[in-house]
Amino acid sequence: MSAAVQKTGMLGTIRRSVAWRALATIKGGVAGGFLLLVVLGAIFAPVLTPYDYDIQALTNAFQPPSLAHPMGTDEFGRDVLTRILYGARTSLSVSVVAISISLVFGMTLGAAAGYFGGRFDRMVMVVVDLTWSFPEILVALMLVAIIGPGVTGTLVAICVAYLAQFTRLTRSQVMALKSETYVEAARGLGASHAFILFRHLLPNCLGPVLVAGMLATGDAIILEATLGFFGLGAQPPTPSWGGMMSSGSGLLFKGPWIILFPGLCIALTVVAINLFGDVLLAKLDIRDRLRVV
């Protein structure tokens, strides 16, 4: 009787694990499909809409959503959907490029600090911890105030704001891996430090850092939108989701669609990135795979 109960319990656990994997796959597929639509919309914006994002038509101002303008028009008569598609180019490109640059520099700096240790590690961690102690938005605001508003200032601000996160994560991964047997064997065979770092250590800690980078991209989109809302991001007439929300904040009762649709785009894109990152993290988790098997 006990063996049968135990077998039934194991079968139930397996069924729940399989169901969870199927749900996670569906969730990742939906999130990935939405992100693909957003990226394609940004790339093919000139083909998808007949309007220009910067041409004003004051006679068409404050038109509600209709067949001609699915998301309405703003206070200058510009099509909101067109500006959202072109704004996706700004918001996504700035966030992705900034996080990519920050990830590369953070991985290199963290790997070197974790591998060599000593005084170099202490110097790096003092700077990293100092940056880490401030919220990302405060670091970004200070840098944009120094560099100046615009796309370049926003890109640099996001790079620096998330550099500490990738540096600390890579350093901890390298410190855990550098005492492994295969690293000691490579060192005993006379392999150079650069070979050990780039051939053995960095590839083995690449997965968690890439997932962290993807999740940070969602935060970077919010940070870019926040800077744009404060007027420190992309400058008019270049559209960005945060800048569109800023211009629509004072027109909430006259044209609520002006701020509503850019806000929805930001929220849905960030949620999709986080869901896709969670699924990717589960796929890379060896312990989770063993638990399912």
Side-chain angles (χ1 to χ4, degrees):
M1 184 66 179
S2 60
V5 172
Q6 185 177 6
K7 184 177 180 181
T8 304
M10 292 177 61
L11 289 174
T13 302
I14 293 174
R15 290 194 188 98
R16 285 193 298 271
S17 300
V18 172
W20 177 253
R21 289 182 66 183
L23 179 62
T25 302
I26 294 172
K27 182 173 67 174
V30 172
F34 179 80
L35 291 176
L36 181 61
L37 287 177
V38 173
V39 173
L40 291 177
I43 294 174
F44 296 104
V47 180
L48 296 176
T49 175
Y51 305 104
D52 295 318
Y53 70 86
D54 56 347
I55 301 299
Q56 300 182 10
L58 297 179
T59 55
N60 296 328
F62 296 112
Q63 288 191 11
S66 61
L67 291 178
H69 302 282
M71 294 185 179
T73 61
D74 62 7
E75 69 274 23
F76 297 110
R78 299 172 298 190
D79 184 63
V80 173
L81 176 59
T82 300
R83 290 184 60 79
I84 284 178
L85 292 176
Y86 280 93
R89 290 183 168 187
T90 304
S91 298
L92 293 181
S93 61
V94 169
S95 302
V96 171
V97 171
I99 291 297
S100 299
I101 296 174
S102 182
L103 190 144
V104 170
F105 277 97
M107 286 190 67
T108 304
L109 193 61
Y115 180 75
F116 293 107
R119 182 178 299 176
F120 177 73
D121 181 37
R122 291 193 294 271
M123 290 174 57
V124 170
M125 292 313 298
V126 165
V127 177
V128 167
D129 289 339
L130 182 62
T131 307
W132 186 264
S133 62
F134 293 98
E136 286 87 355
I137 181 62
L138 182 57
V139 175
L141 287 173
M142 290 190 296
L143 289 173
V144 171
I146 296 173
I147 300 172
V151 173
T152 302
T154 302
L155 193 146
V156 173
I158 295 175
C159 282
V160 176
Y162 290 94
L163 183 64
Q165 176 180 338
F166 301 128
T167 303
R168 290 176 64 90
L169 179 58
T170 306
R171 174 180 175 269
S172 64
Q173 293 285 321
V174 169
M175 291 182 68
L177 292 172
K178 70 178 183 179
S179 59
E180 293 289 335
T181 306
Y182 62 88
V183 177
E184 296 293 339
R187 190 179 292 113
L189 291 174
S192 63
H193 295 308
F195 182 85
I196 293 174
L197 272 173
F198 292 100
R199 179 64 179 84
H200 293 291
L201 293 178
L202 280 178
N204 283 289
C205 63
L206 191 60
V209 179
L210 287 180
V211 173
M214 184 169 187
L215 295 175
T217 303
D219 297 336
I221 291 175
I222 296 177
L223 181 56
E224 189 275 338
T226 303
L227 294 175
F229 188 86
F230 290 148
L232 301 175
Q235 299 300 297
T238 303
S240 69
W241 289 344
M244 294 177 66
M245 292 187 66
S246 177
S247 64
S249 61
L251 307 168
L252 185 59
F253 297 102
K254 192 171 184 180
W257 53 87
I258 300 175
I259 190 174
L260 175 63
F261 288 113
L264 281 176
C265 287
I266 294 173
L268 292 175
T269 302
V270 172
V271 168
I273 290 175
N274 289 335
L275 289 177
F276 193 78
D278 289 340
V279 173
L280 187 60
L281 182 62
K283 294 291 184 182
L284 294 174
D285 192 353
I286 298 176
R287 291 172 298 176
D288 188 58
R289 285 189 229 160
L290 293 176
R291 203 161 34 238
V292 171
V293 175

